[in-house]
mmCIF file of all heavy atoms in Angstrom:
data_model
loop_
_atom_site.group_PDB
_atom_site.id
_atom_site.type_symbol
_atom_site.label_atom_id
_atom_site.label_comp_id
_atom_site.label_asym_id
_atom_site.label_seq_id
_atom_site.Cartn_x
_atom_site.Cartn_y
_atom_site.Cartn_z
ATOM 1 N N ALA A 161 23.955 5.568 8.656
ATOM 2 C CA ALA A 161 22.791 5.865 7.811
ATOM 3 C C ALA A 161 22.966 5.353 6.387
ATOM 4 O O ALA A 161 22.672 6.046 5.412
ATOM 5 C CB ALA A 161 22.492 7.365 7.817
ATOM 6 N N LEU A 162 23.443 4.134 6.291
ATOM 7 C CA LEU A 162 23.655 3.486 5.006
ATOM 8 C C LEU A 162 22.920 2.153 4.989
ATOM 9 O O LEU A 162 22.663 1.567 6.040
ATOM 10 C CB LEU A 162 25.156 3.261 4.771
ATOM 11 C CG LEU A 162 26.025 4.531 4.697
ATOM 12 C CD1 LEU A 162 27.500 4.144 4.686
ATOM 13 C CD2 LEU A 162 25.673 5.354 3.460
ATOM 14 N N PRO A 163 22.563 1.659 3.807
ATOM 15 C CA PRO A 163 22.792 2.203 2.462
ATOM 16 C C PRO A 163 21.741 3.246 2.103
ATOM 17 O O PRO A 163 20.723 3.381 2.781
ATOM 18 C CB PRO A 163 22.637 0.956 1.575
ATOM 19 C CG PRO A 163 21.594 0.142 2.283
ATOM 20 C CD PRO A 163 21.870 0.345 3.750
ATOM 21 N N LYS A 164 22.000 3.957 1.013
ATOM 22 C CA LYS A 164 21.039 4.921 0.501
ATOM 23 C C LYS A 164 20.197 4.281 -0.600
ATOM 24 O O LYS A 164 20.687 3.448 -1.368
ATOM 25 C CB LYS A 164 21.752 6.147 -0.073
ATOM 26 C CG LYS A 164 22.605 6.902 0.935
ATOM 27 C CD LYS A 164 21.779 7.388 2.117
ATOM 28 C CE LYS A 164 22.647 8.253 3.049
ATOM 29 N NZ LYS A 164 21.968 8.516 4.335
ATOM 30 N N PRO A 165 18.938 4.660 -0.706
ATOM 31 C CA PRO A 165 18.116 4.191 -1.828
ATOM 32 C C PRO A 165 18.643 4.713 -3.159
ATOM 33 O O PRO A 165 19.417 5.675 -3.205
ATOM 34 C CB PRO A 165 16.734 4.783 -1.523
ATOM 35 C CG PRO A 165 16.776 5.206 -0.093
ATOM 36 C CD PRO A 165 18.200 5.547 0.208
ATOM 37 N N ALA A 166 18.225 4.081 -4.234
ATOM 38 C CA ALA A 166 18.581 4.577 -5.564
ATOM 39 C C ALA A 166 17.891 5.895 -5.854
ATOM 40 O O ALA A 166 18.464 6.785 -6.492
ATOM 41 C CB ALA A 166 18.227 3.540 -6.618
ATOM 42 N N GLN A 167 16.642 6.036 -5.402
ATOM 43 C CA GLN A 167 15.905 7.278 -5.602
ATOM 44 C C GLN A 167 16.425 8.356 -4.660
ATOM 45 O O GLN A 167 16.840 8.065 -3.539
ATOM 46 C CB GLN A 167 14.412 7.065 -5.323
ATOM 47 C CG GLN A 167 13.746 6.080 -6.256
ATOM 48 C CD GLN A 167 12.313 5.832 -5.861
ATOM 49 O OE1 GLN A 167 11.410 6.570 -6.254
ATOM 50 N NE2 GLN A 167 12.082 4.766 -5.087
ATOM 51 N N HIS A 168 16.331 9.587 -5.132
ATOM 52 C CA HIS A 168 16.680 10.690 -4.241
ATOM 53 C C HIS A 168 15.792 10.671 -3.008
ATOM 54 O O HIS A 168 16.251 10.939 -1.890
ATOM 55 C CB HIS A 168 16.533 12.023 -4.977
ATOM 56 C CG HIS A 168 16.726 13.219 -4.098
ATOM 57 N ND1 HIS A 168 17.951 13.558 -3.547
ATOM 58 C CD2 HIS A 168 15.824 14.141 -3.647
ATOM 59 C CE1 HIS A 168 17.805 14.644 -2.801
ATOM 60 N NE2 HIS A 168 16.541 15.019 -2.849
ATOM 61 N N LYS A 169 14.506 10.323 -3.206
ATOM 62 C CA LYS A 169 13.570 10.198 -2.085
ATOM 63 C C LYS A 169 12.591 9.073 -2.376
ATOM 64 O O LYS A 169 11.846 9.142 -3.365
ATOM 65 C CB LYS A 169 12.808 11.502 -1.861
ATOM 66 C CG LYS A 169 11.958 11.466 -0.595
ATOM 67 C CD LYS A 169 11.213 12.753 -0.371
ATOM 68 C CE LYS A 169 10.572 12.798 1.002
ATOM 69 N NZ LYS A 169 9.802 11.566 1.341
ATOM 70 N N VAL A 170 12.606 8.050 -1.560
ATOM 71 C CA VAL A 170 11.615 6.992 -1.677
ATOM 72 C C VAL A 170 10.261 7.555 -1.258
ATOM 73 O O VAL A 170 10.126 8.089 -0.149
ATOM 74 C CB VAL A 170 11.979 5.787 -0.789
ATOM 75 C CG1 VAL A 170 10.837 4.772 -0.765
ATOM 76 C CG2 VAL A 170 13.261 5.137 -1.274
ATOM 77 N N PRO A 171 9.237 7.471 -2.107
ATOM 78 C CA PRO A 171 7.914 7.964 -1.702
ATOM 79 C C PRO A 171 7.393 7.202 -0.484
ATOM 80 O O PRO A 171 7.482 5.972 -0.419
ATOM 81 C CB PRO A 171 7.047 7.702 -2.932
ATOM 82 C CG PRO A 171 8.011 7.668 -4.077
ATOM 83 C CD PRO A 171 9.254 7.045 -3.520
ATOM 84 N N VAL A 172 6.872 7.934 0.480
ATOM 85 C CA VAL A 172 6.310 7.361 1.706
ATOM 86 C C VAL A 172 4.796 7.537 1.670
ATOM 87 O O VAL A 172 4.302 8.648 1.446
ATOM 88 C CB VAL A 172 6.903 8.035 2.952
ATOM 89 C CG1 VAL A 172 6.184 7.575 4.216
ATOM 90 C CG2 VAL A 172 8.405 7.731 3.053
ATOM 91 N N LEU A 173 4.092 6.429 1.902
ATOM 92 C CA LEU A 173 2.635 6.441 1.940
ATOM 93 C C LEU A 173 2.170 6.250 3.371
ATOM 94 O O LEU A 173 2.667 5.380 4.093
ATOM 95 C CB LEU A 173 2.044 5.319 1.093
ATOM 96 C CG LEU A 173 2.134 5.392 -0.419
ATOM 97 C CD1 LEU A 173 3.554 5.143 -0.916
ATOM 98 C CD2 LEU A 173 1.188 4.357 -1.039
ATOM 99 N N ILE A 174 1.211 7.071 3.769
ATOM 100 C CA ILE A 174 0.538 6.922 5.055
ATOM 101 C C ILE A 174 -0.958 6.905 4.767
ATOM 102 O O ILE A 174 -1.428 7.593 3.858
ATOM 103 C CB ILE A 174 0.913 8.079 6.005
ATOM 104 C CG1 ILE A 174 2.392 7.977 6.385
ATOM 105 C CG2 ILE A 174 0.028 8.075 7.263
ATOM 106 C CD1 ILE A 174 2.910 9.162 7.163
ATOM 107 N N GLY A 175 -1.691 6.097 5.507
ATOM 108 C CA GLY A 175 -3.117 6.006 5.230
ATOM 109 C C GLY A 175 -3.930 5.709 6.468
ATOM 110 O O GLY A 175 -3.395 5.488 7.553
ATOM 111 N N GLY A 176 -5.240 5.709 6.272
ATOM 112 C CA GLY A 176 -6.130 5.357 7.365
ATOM 113 C C GLY A 176 -7.300 6.297 7.497
ATOM 114 O O GLY A 176 -7.442 7.290 6.770
ATOM 115 N N HIS A 177 -8.135 5.983 8.498
ATOM 116 C CA HIS A 177 -9.385 6.704 8.706
ATOM 117 C C HIS A 177 -9.336 7.656 9.911
ATOM 118 O O HIS A 177 -10.304 8.372 10.155
ATOM 119 C CB HIS A 177 -10.524 5.714 8.920
ATOM 120 C CG HIS A 177 -10.783 4.845 7.720
ATOM 121 N ND1 HIS A 177 -11.819 5.076 6.845
ATOM 122 C CD2 HIS A 177 -10.146 3.739 7.253
ATOM 123 C CE1 HIS A 177 -11.810 4.160 5.887
ATOM 124 N NE2 HIS A 177 -10.802 3.337 6.112
ATOM 125 N N GLY A 178 -8.251 7.642 10.675
ATOM 126 C CA GLY A 178 -8.179 8.454 11.878
ATOM 127 C C GLY A 178 -8.374 9.934 11.587
ATOM 128 O O GLY A 178 -7.810 10.471 10.624
ATOM 129 N N ALA A 179 -9.139 10.602 12.431
ATOM 130 C CA ALA A 179 -9.536 11.979 12.141
ATOM 131 C C ALA A 179 -8.509 13.020 12.570
ATOM 132 O O ALA A 179 -8.514 14.141 12.044
ATOM 133 C CB ALA A 179 -10.870 12.286 12.820
ATOM 134 N N LYS A 180 -7.622 12.690 13.513
ATOM 135 C CA LYS A 180 -6.722 13.714 14.045
ATOM 136 C C LYS A 180 -5.251 13.337 13.872
ATOM 137 O O LYS A 180 -4.501 14.024 13.176
ATOM 138 C CB LYS A 180 -7.031 13.961 15.529
ATOM 139 C CG LYS A 180 -8.421 14.576 15.759
ATOM 140 C CD LYS A 180 -8.660 14.845 17.243
ATOM 141 C CE LYS A 180 -10.038 15.473 17.461
ATOM 142 N NZ LYS A 180 -10.304 15.728 18.903
ATOM 143 N N ARG A 181 -4.836 12.238 14.504
ATOM 144 C CA ARG A 181 -3.411 11.907 14.473
ATOM 145 C C ARG A 181 -2.940 11.476 13.092
ATOM 146 O O ARG A 181 -1.824 11.810 12.672
ATOM 147 C CB ARG A 181 -3.099 10.822 15.505
ATOM 148 C CG ARG A 181 -3.284 11.291 16.946
ATOM 149 C CD ARG A 181 -2.665 10.319 17.944
ATOM 150 N NE ARG A 181 -3.315 9.010 17.909
ATOM 151 C CZ ARG A 181 -2.929 7.968 18.639
ATOM 152 N NH1 ARG A 181 -1.895 8.084 19.457
ATOM 153 N NH2 ARG A 181 -3.574 6.825 18.565
#
Side-chain angles (χ1 to χ4, degrees):
L162 298 171
K164 300 301 185 191
Q167 297 175 86
H168 174 69
K169 187 180 190 312
V170 172
V172 172
L173 289 72
I174 293 172
H177 296 259
K180 294 182 179 179
R181 294 193 296 177

